[in-house]
Amino acid sequence: LYHYFSTSHALLMELARRYHAAFEVLASRRLDHESLSQWSDLCAFHADLSLRFYHEHPVAMRLFLGPQNGWELRAADLATNRRIGSIYYRKLIQHFVVAESRLLEDAFDISVTISDAIWSLSFARSGAIESDMAKEALRARLAYLRLYVGEYVEKRAKPLDG
């Protein structure tokens, strides 16, 4: 351990960096435009990917959703949420007719953090992200985003290049 990392905290930060990079790769995955019927499908698709990742990587779940992560790790997690929220925002613009807005981009960042908070609550209660709490997280995220995006948004005939 100490041959590569000077402290256990340094090891955890490197592990977090690698998991954050993996989450960003997931967020950047290309979407099948035809599979989207409404904008909320974007959030559901990405939530499912993230949940699958957590179930396949329980260390990541414990690291990001567990109680002993510390402020430096939390700050890195929030910075990643900002980047991922920005990716989701760009996908919304790419696939749906929505005016570009810094407020909307910020809302996507916050919506990712809302999901994380509810997933963390589930992890604290049961040591896992239970399916009912995953559904609740998606509901909360969508309810928040509906403050910025209308319930029904026109889908583009073809996605914008992106």
Side-chain angles (χ1 to χ4, degrees):
L1 169 73
Y2 293 110
H3 179 70
Y4 298 104
F5 300 99
S6 58
T7 65
S8 59
H9 180 72
L11 170 67
L12 290 177
M13 290 305 296
E14 176 58 22
L15 192 58
R17 187 194 64 73
R18 290 179 185 189
Y19 284 134
H20 282 143
F23 274 115
E24 288 184 57
V25 167
L26 284 178
S28 298
R29 274 185 59 178
R30 192 164 194 82
L31 287 168
D32 175 22
H33 184 70
E34 298 307 315
S35 71
L36 301 172
S37 60
Q38 53 193 3
W39 70 266
S40 59
D41 294 341
L42 292 167
C43 294
F45 174 78
H46 288 293
D48 285 344
L49 284 179
S50 296
L51 289 167
R52 263 189 268 139
F53 183 87
Y54 271 137
H55 287 112
E56 292 167 4
H57 300 89
V59 172
M61 187 183 318
R62 182 174 198 84
L63 185 64
F64 297 131
L65 305 179
Q68 61 274 55
N69 48 14
W71 281 112
E72 186 178 1
L73 184 58
R74 183 70 178 138
D77 199 29
L78 292 173
T80 300
N81 285 356
R82 179 169 280 293
R83 290 189 302 275
I84 289 173
S86 185
I87 292 168
Y88 293 165
Y89 164 76
R90 288 191 305 272
K91 286 187 176 193
L92 175 74
I93 300 298
Q94 181 182 16
H95 293 279
F96 294 90
V97 180
V98 177
E100 293 190 38
S101 160
R102 184 68 192 149
L103 286 174
L104 180 56
E105 187 171 1
D106 288 345
F108 268 84
D109 160 26
I110 293 168
S111 77
V112 172
T113 304
I114 288 170
S115 289
D116 279 358
I118 295 171
W119 293 348
S120 290
L121 177 61
S122 182
F123 185 82
R125 289 179 177 173
S126 67
I129 303 170
E130 301 293 336
S131 63
D132 61 328
M133 291 297 277
K135 289 175 189 168
E136 196 64 21
L138 182 59
R139 286 172 30 121
R141 182 177 182 187
L142 292 175
Y144 176 74
L145 286 172
R146 284 185 182 109
L147 297 170
Y148 298 89
V149 182
E151 181 71 29
Y152 302 101
V153 176
E154 181 182 353
K155 182 178 163 184
R156 296 184 187 278
K158 292 184 350 187
L160 298 176
D161 292 333

